[in-house]
Amino acid sequence: MNGATVKIFDAKPLPAKDPKGIAGKLGEIVAVEADGFTVVCADGRFKVTRVQPDAGKKIEAGEWAKSANVVVGSKFA
């Protein structure tokens, strides 16, 4: 993200019940909350709850999103 590597360690799948449930582009962040962030994937979405930033230690995804200024519309490449 933004040229930095972010490893995802914990995530919960949120499968789409129909195509409208995906709503977004692959890799796009569609929600940022205190306990994590939600990313669009091919079959729906998944909520990321724990990450490891480039050259850092594992932290809660919500904490990382806040410190990295991640907003809705940001995108993983």
Side-chain angles (χ1 to χ4, degrees), residues 18-67:
D18 58 49
K20 290 181 183 180
I22 296 173
K25 296 180 181 181
L26 291 178
E28 181 181 3
I29 295 175
V30 293
V32 179
E33 301 165 321
D35 63 342
F37 56 89
T38 304
V39 181
V40 175
C41 63
D43 294 331
R45 299 173 177 195
F46 60 93
K47 182 162 187 172
V48 178
T49 56
R50 195 160 186 224
V51 299
Q52 181 178 19
D54 199 18
K57 63 180 184 174
K58 295 176 191 175
I59 61 173
E60 298 300 317
E63 178 184 340
W64 172 78
K66 185 176 180 179
S67 68

